[in-house]
């Protein structure tokens, strides 16, 4: 058995989600006819892909730009041209007072979370350790295992609002939320993966106030948010200030393979991220930035997000919601109000089996979803709700989603009849 350090052990120990992802990959490899409603992959939208193809073609035809994009390391902060155009865009769109010194690129936003969480939480020289506060669980599964220290997260149960007979919405339960001096930063995804929730402007303002009062950052994971990819179906005011770190990404726009994360923060944080980039990666990937620069400069990225990407997913959300509600008639079910991202979060209150068991049964019927229990990093208490939800992606083509939802409803009904 190979000897590895504590770090090696921790980061390679099979996490729940790691096992699940292997399981999903294996199921996909073994069978062609799997209905994949489990992943976080964005859709391949032809009109969007053709835009990227054109932009890539322009790079190829431009003389030296393609050669530069693949032949040079960018600085550790990321491609200067792209950073400048993004700063201009955010200034134009939102009036944010930011310059290139407020932006760094990372190897996907996933790696930004690795950097930020381990910098603001963990063991401190002043003694003691600090935690990342997730004020509303369920929260993004990808945070769960990035901590170098054990138990990096503390999270909070939500308040549940019943919107109508079958729709509910989570809110931050501020009465239970404690921002003690053990908290190093607060983080929320908005829109939220897995639920499609969009925290209200009021909630964000309150979190921002709490973070400012403690002089800690509020990290807003904007992977699905405005101004791109803009997979957000409600009104939500974007905020940035010196205490806020906004993390964006080109992934959900349709460029996940280029691994381009964008961190917007005060100069000190940007310097820190750049220095860590240098150590971990020398420099962040540049090809996504090269493809997207002209789209950001012309504002095409905003039009594409507003006129193609958002309506594309919104239509799918409405259809999936209608279909699932229709199929589940007669069952006591709730679905989180889909306000953004591309998931339905189904809550089956009195299901006689856990959703981990339901996941297994669905897998046997060749439908892949993600059981809800993985989306509660940092929530220690034993809350039944963790085992009553599943996440269903509706990003795939209509035929796959329709067929998958039908089987999900059949298995749910079966479980009620014969636990
Ligand atoms: N944040 C959220 C909420 C996500 O859903 C994802 C990917 O699924 C990420 C961050 C990470 O995306 P990437 O590393 O591709 O930018």
């Amino acid at each position: 058995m190979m000897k590895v350090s504590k770090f090696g052990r921790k980061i390679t120990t099979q996490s729940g989600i790691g096992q699940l992802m292997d399981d999903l990959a294996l199921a996909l490899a073994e069978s062609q006819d799997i209905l994949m409603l489990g992943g976080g992959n964005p859709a391949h939208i032809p009109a969007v892909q053709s835009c990227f193809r054109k932009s890539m073609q322009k790079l190829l035809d431009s003389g030296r730009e393609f050669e530069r994009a693949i032949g040079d390391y960018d600085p550790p902060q990321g491609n200067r041209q792209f950073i400048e155009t993004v700063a201009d865009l955010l200034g134009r769109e939102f009036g944010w007072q930011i310059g290139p010194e407020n932006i760094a690129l990372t190897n996907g936003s996933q790696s930004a979370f690795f950097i930020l969480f381990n910098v603001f939480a963990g063991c401190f020289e002043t003694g003691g350790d600090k935690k990342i506060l997730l004020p509303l669980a369920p929260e993004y599964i990808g945070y769960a295992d990035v901590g170098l220290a054990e138990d990096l997260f503390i999270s909070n149960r939500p308040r549940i609002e019943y919107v109508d007979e079958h729709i509910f919405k989570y809110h931050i339960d501020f009465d239970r939320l404690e921002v003690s001096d053990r908290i190093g930063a607060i983080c929320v995804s908005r829109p939220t993966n897995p639920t499609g929730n969009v925290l209200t402007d009021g909630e964000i303002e309150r979190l921002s106030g709490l973070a400012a009062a403690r002089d800690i950052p509020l990290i807003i994971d904007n992977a699905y948010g405005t101004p791109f990819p803009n997979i957000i179906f409600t009104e939500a005011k974007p905020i940035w200030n010196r205490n806020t770190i906004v993390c964006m990404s080109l992934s959900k726009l349709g460029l996940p393979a280029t691994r381009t994360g964008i961190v917007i923060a005060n100069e000190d944080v940007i310097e820190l991220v750049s220095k860590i980039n240098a150590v971990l990666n020398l420099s962040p990937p540049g090809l996504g930035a090269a493809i997207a620069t002209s789209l950001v400069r012309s504002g095409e990225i905003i039009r594409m997000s507003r006129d193609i990407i958002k309506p594309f997913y919104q239509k799918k959300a409405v259809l999936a919601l209608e279909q699932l509600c229709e199929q589940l008639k007669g069952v006591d079910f709730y679905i989180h109000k889909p306000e953004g991202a591309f998931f339905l979060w189904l809550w089956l209150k009195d299901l006689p089996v856990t959703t981990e068991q339901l996941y297994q049964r669905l897998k046997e019927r060749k439908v892949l979803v993600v059981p809800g229990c993985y989306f509660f990093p940092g929530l220690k208490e034993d809350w039944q709700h963790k085992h009553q939800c599943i996440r269903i992606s509706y990003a795939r083509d209509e035929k796959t989603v329709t067929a998958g939802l039908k089987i999900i409803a059949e298995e749910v009904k079966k479980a009620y009849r014969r636990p």
Side-chain angles (χ1 to χ4, degrees):
M1 179 65 186
M2 196 169 52
K3 287 202 178 102
V4 297
S5 67
K6 257 164 88 176
F7 162 72
R9 173 93 51 238
K10 176 166 188 312
I11 206 142
T12 54
T13 296
Q14 195 49 296
S15 59
I17 181 60
Q19 242 159 32
L20 183 79
M21 294 322 259
D22 287 351
D23 197 24
L24 297 185
L26 198 68
L28 271 181
E30 277 175 359
S31 174
Q32 299 293 316
D33 48 357
I34 287 280
L35 301 170
M36 182 54 168
L37 310 187
N41 212 83
H44 290 191
I45 308 175
V48 173
Q49 292 197 313
S50 123
C51 228
F52 295 143
R53 179 176 280 271
K54 274 192 209 135
S55 178
M56 185 70 187
Q57 196 63 52
K58 255 203 307 204
L59 272 188
L60 290 169
D61 295 342
S62 69
R64 297 292 314 152
E65 275 190 53
F66 173 71
E67 284 71 14
R68 202 225 54 81
I70 61 162
D72 293 340
Y73 288 113
D74 280 327
Q77 191 188 340
N79 183 275
R80 184 74 189 181
Q81 249 190 341
F82 181 65
I83 286 175
E84 280 169 6
T85 56
V86 171
D88 285 349
L89 180 98
L90 294 173
R92 274 199 317 271
E93 284 295 305
F94 301 145
W96 292 355
Q97 303 285 314
I98 56 171
E101 64 284 6
N102 298 111
I103 299 181
L105 306 187
T106 54
N107 191 356
S109 63
Q110 184 67 22
S111 115
F113 296 110
F114 176 84
I115 295 172
L116 295 169
F117 291 168
N118 286 302
V119 160
F120 291 111
C123 197
F124 276 64
E125 274 167 0
T126 44
D129 60 344
K130 290 194 191 283
K131 309 277 183 195
I132 299 293
L133 174 66
L134 307 174
L136 195 169
E139 188 47 282
Y140 174 47
I141 210 164
Y143 303 153
D145 296 303
V146 304
L148 293 174
E150 299 290 340
D151 289 333
L152 204 71
F153 299 99
I154 294 184
S155 66
N156 214 36
R157 265 167 70 160
R159 185 168 65 72
I160 292 175
E161 175 199 0
Y162 292 92
V163 177
D164 70 27
E165 199 188 345
H166 290 298
I167 301 290
F168 75 105
K169 178 173 164 66
Y170 292 127
H171 293 278
I172 295 175
D173 188 347
F174 283 99
D175 293 339
R176 282 165 168 260
L177 191 72
E178 197 199 344
V179 189
S180 70
D181 57 8
R182 287 188 62 212
I183 302 300
I186 304 175
C187 178
V188 290
S189 62
R190 185 194 200 221
T192 309
N193 174 359
T195 55
N197 195 10
V198 174
L199 293 181
T200 63
D201 293 344
E203 286 173 311
I204 291 289
E205 269 163 37
R206 250 178 113 170
L207 287 180
S208 175
L210 288 170
R214 282 270 174 211
D215 199 18
I216 56 174
L218 169 63
I219 302 169
I220 300 178
D221 178 353
N222 199 29
Y224 300 86
T226 61
F228 57 81
N230 203 28
I231 312 173
I232 179 162
F233 318 136
T234 54
E235 287 302 312
K237 196 172 110 207
I239 73 154
W240 182 81
N241 55 46
R242 297 190 57 77
N243 229 34
T244 308
I245 304 174
V246 176
C247 294
M248 302 191 57
S249 167
L250 297 185
S251 293
K252 309 301 169 179
L253 195 70
L255 294 170
T258 68
R259 311 308 300 129
T260 315
I262 306 167
V263 179
I264 302 144
N266 70 44
E267 298 78 2
D268 298 339
V269 173
I270 294 304
E271 201 181 314
L272 207 137
V273 171
S274 307
K275 285 191 171 146
I276 298 178
N277 265 343
V279 174
L280 293 181
N281 304 306
L282 299 185
S283 80
L287 207 50
I291 293 172
T293 299
S294 63
L295 303 173
V296 174
R297 187 178 294 126
S298 65
E300 180 60 27
I301 198 166
I302 305 267
R303 280 190 294 280
M304 185 166 97
S305 301
R306 189 192 52 210
D307 300 339
I308 304 175
I309 297 177
K310 171 187 167 146
F312 174 89
Y313 286 109
Q314 192 163 19
K315 198 168 142 225
K316 288 177 95 58
V318 170
L319 190 67
L321 184 65
E322 253 175 41
Q323 288 179 335
L324 195 55
C325 287
E326 180 60 33
Q327 301 275 354
L328 282 173
K329 264 195 182 143
V331 171
D332 188 16
F333 72 91
Y334 293 88
I335 298 171
H336 194 285
K337 192 174 174 208
E339 298 179 311
F342 41 67
F343 308 103
L344 290 184
W345 179 251
L346 173 63
W347 173 24
L348 299 155
K349 245 185 190 174
D350 302 308
L351 193 72
V353 298
T354 64
T355 42
E356 294 90 293
Q357 287 165 303
L358 180 65
Y359 157 76
Q360 288 298 345
R361 292 179 188 187
L362 287 170
K363 202 176 71 165
E364 279 161 29
R365 302 239 3 231
K366 299 189 178 329
V367 178
L368 297 183
V369 297
V370 184
C373 59
Y374 297 110
F375 295 93
F376 295 84
L379 195 69
K380 291 270 165 30
E381 60 191 288
D382 192 22
W383 186 30
Q384 269 313 98
H385 191 83
K386 289 187 195 174
H387 308 286
Q388 297 172 343
C389 302
I390 55 171
R391 189 193 77 177
I392 305 165
S393 163
Y394 53 79
R396 286 284 168 124
D397 61 282
E398 196 177 318
K399 210 170 125 214
T400 304
V401 176
T402 302
L405 293 178
K406 187 161 169 281
I407 294 172
I408 292 171
E410 283 170 12
E411 284 304 316
V412 168
K413 285 180 178 166
K414 248 195 239 167
Y416 276 106
R417 283 197 303 271
R418 283 185 275 115

